[in-house]
Amino acid sequence: MSKPLVAIVYHSGYGHTKAVAEAVIAGIGEVSEVEGKLIPVENVDAEWETLDGAAAIIFGAPIYMGSVSAAFWAFAEKSSKRWFELKWKDKIAAGFVNSGSQNGDKLQGLHALYNLSQQHGMIWVGLGLHPGNNNSNGSTNDLNRLGGFGGAFAQSNIDQGPDVTPPDADRRTAAHLGRRVAEATVRWERGKA
Ligand SMILES: Cc1cc2nc3c(=O)[nH]c(=O)nc-3n(C[C@H](O)[C@H](O)[C@H](O)COP(=O)(O)O)c2cc1C
């Protein structure tokens, strides 16, 4: 039998959110019982059946003008065809967002991803970490340095390329989310058997 699939559907205009998505899939790769697959929104029209067959879908987007990018949301609207039949009901879901500013209205974007998952009747998995860098011994190198709870937050300096930014701490936080979703998926799928 093939392994349960954890798909990542993401948009990235300039490569920074793609770097976060790659960190998420590296975390998924640490869990041998599942497969991971990256699906850029540009390719989604060839991948609807892949998504229908996935056990989990992780949504990822950059923050453009205070919420998820329009290209990501175009995918969200197209997914309404799945909504009519609640085809994604009871799949595991999670999300990550990336922006230029430290805050940058990331939570608005993450809530958009959460709402999308709930419209589809999915099971949302949060980050499951304490915040980092919130006391006098903290550092920007801490896991979850941006202190998110509902998903993985990343921040990319707007004058640097994705080879440099987001920093390692955000990539490790994203990998943590990928691993956590993969582990949750294993337990969820086992429960169905
Ligand atoms: C059209 C546009 C709007 C943006 N709006 C925001 C914003 O509201 N908040 C923020 O912090 N950064 C904003 N940014 C910066 C991006 O979130 C940041 O550069 C991010 O790393 C881009 O990710 P990408 O390379 O995957 O597209 C914006 C960038 C663009 C191009």
Side-chain angles (χ1 to χ4, degrees), residues 94-105:
F96 60 91
V97 287
N98 165 59
S99 74
S101 302
Q102 301 290 319
N103 180 311
D105 293 330

Side-chain angles (χ1 to χ4, degrees), residues 11-18 62-67 98-106 155-158:
H11 172 242
S12 182
Y14 305 91
H16 302 88
T17 312
K18 179 174 185 229
I63 301 298
Y64 289 176
M65 301 313 289
S67 190
N98 165 59
S99 74
S101 302
Q102 301 290 319
N103 180 311
D105 293 330
K106 280 193 257 291
Q155 177 272 328
S156 302
N157 292 335
I158 60 169

Side-chain angles (χ1 to χ4, degrees), residues 1 16 19 27 31 38 43 56 62 71-72 91 94 104 112 115 119 123 127 137 142 147 150 158 161 184 187:
M1 217 176 81
H16 302 88
V31 179
L38 287 173
N43 297 351
F72 183 88
K91 293 184 192 302
N115 288 341
Q119 291 240 347
I123 312 294
L127 188 60
N137 295 314
D142 289 350
I158 60 169
R187 291 196 296 274

